[in-house]
Amino acid sequence: MLGYFGPAGTFTHQALLTITDEEAMPFASVPEALDAVREGQVDGVVVPIENSVEGGVTATLDKLGNGAPLRIVGEVVIPVEFGLYVREGTQLDDVRNVLTHGHAAAQCRDWLAVMLPEATVVEAGSTAGAAMEVSNPDSRHDAAVCARVAGEMYGLVELVHGIEDNPGAVTRFVHVARPGPLPPRTGADKTTLVAYMREDHSGALLEILEQFAGRGVNLTRIESRPTKTFLGSYCFNIDAEGHLHDKRMAETLMGLHRICREVIFLGSYPRADKQEPTLPRGFDDNAFSQAADWLATLESEQPG
Ligand SMILES: O=C(O)C(=O)Cc1ccccc1
């Protein structure tokens, strides 16, 4: 069974429904969901990882790389549109207290500031959790910012829809499982990893980037995250185009392993947009094989 960052009606739930229509288990937070996979309570979970407006979902980035190994086996990208949902009878002028997930609040910040300048925005566990809370007649919260499905699911009334400051925003979700066979290489894949530098020195990030650049591997996301040991200590959370079974990616991973203190491999999986990378000349599997054959020929000429 799969799990997801819930309750029912979250954007994550919508992402999950694009993968399966079988019954799935909701978890109240991203860390709880990921721990449930680690502990074997579910076979996999869907959690948000990146938003086109807000950037990385830090709870996911940090928790994926810390603890028993996990692997991303797939990704889903869905549009996110928000509305303001209230109990029957509440008017816009009555709204003093708005409840929602931090990422939703951030994506509707301007709208809330202009339309509800007096209102306090309170952070909830999730957008659907906010809708569920607001549906309680005794709730001290007047409105939830959530998806239309969540508003409907929890019996709320839609005051306004489309309150996001950046229309067209999308969120990327990942399907995470325990280590096992990798999803097959499709030619349009992504690899996610976390790299820890050996020691702090000038050019350390450049050396990491060189491993990718020198093998024709393009990055689609790179974020520095605190290692949580001391101030100024960071690791790099990276998405790169390609699959572990692409020779250029395998060589990149080996290069990183040589120069880094630790490299956590978080999986190779098909890209949601199915977009194949444009490879510079000399970086496809054939070019790597031919180079290896050439080297073998040179070595075979050597005595003994
Ligand atoms: O709270 C939710 O519905 C989530 O799934 C997290 C989230 C919040 C805002 C945008 C995308 C995902």
Side-chain angles (χ1 to χ4, degrees), residues 197 201-211 222 236 238:
M197 296 178 285
H201 61 279
S202 62
L205 173 59
L206 180 62
E207 285 170 18
I208 290 179
L209 295 178
E210 275 171 349
Q211 302 304 318
I222 175 163
F236 297 102
I238 296 171

Side-chain angles (χ1 to χ4, degrees), residues 88-228:
E88 187 88 57
T90 306
Q91 307 294 319
L92 195 58
D93 288 349
D94 306 329
V95 176
R96 296 276 170 275
N97 189 303
V98 180
L99 189 63
T100 192
H101 185 270
H103 267 243
Q107 289 182 60
C108 305
R109 194 177 284 134
D110 294 348
W111 189 92
L112 291 167
V114 171
M115 300 303 288
L116 293 170
E118 305 296 328
T120 311
V121 181
V122 180
E123 198 164 318
S126 68
T127 55
M132 189 193 280
E133 163 64 27
V134 170
S135 71
N136 178 349
D138 299 326
S139 176
R140 61 191 181 83
H141 304 288
D142 308 311
V145 172
C146 58
R148 181 173 273 156
V149 281
E152 284 169 0
M153 202 173 274
Y154 297 102
L156 298 177
V157 175
E158 184 176 285
L159 275 188
V160 199
H161 187 69
I163 65 169
E164 59 277 358
D165 302 325
N166 295 278
V170 295
T171 298
R172 176 177 160 234
F173 299 83
V174 282
H175 174 186
V176 180
R178 289 181 293 283
L182 293 181
R185 195 185 87 102
T186 66
D189 309 281
K190 253 186 214 171
T191 293
T192 300
L193 57 93
V194 187
Y196 289 80
M197 296 178 285
R198 195 158 271 145
E199 76 279 321
D200 189 20
H201 61 279
S202 62
L205 173 59
L206 180 62
E207 285 170 18
I208 290 179
L209 295 178
E210 275 171 349
Q211 302 304 318
F212 293 93
R215 282 139 185 139
V217 176
N218 185 37
L219 303 189
T220 54
R221 182 182 61 85
I222 175 163
E223 270 168 279
S224 51
R225 292 293 310 148
T227 62
K228 306 187 200 315

Side-chain angles (χ1 to χ4, degrees), residues 4-7 9-15 30 46-51 54 57 78-82 100-105 107 124-130 145-147 150 170-173:
Y4 66 98
F5 171 41
T10 55
F11 289 99
T12 315
H13 187 211
Q14 293 177 46
V30 168
V46 176
V47 289
I49 190 167
E50 181 184 7
N51 184 273
E54 265 299 286
V57 179
I78 60 165
V80 280
E81 286 178 7
F82 303 94
T100 192
H101 185 270
H103 267 243
Q107 289 182 60
S126 68
T127 55
V145 172
C146 58
V170 295
T171 298
R172 176 177 160 234
F173 299 83

Side-chain angles (χ1 to χ4, degrees), residues 7 9 15 77 84 97 101 113 121 179 235 245 297:
V77 176
L84 192 71
N97 189 303
H101 185 270
V121 181
C235 57
H245 295 150
T297 317

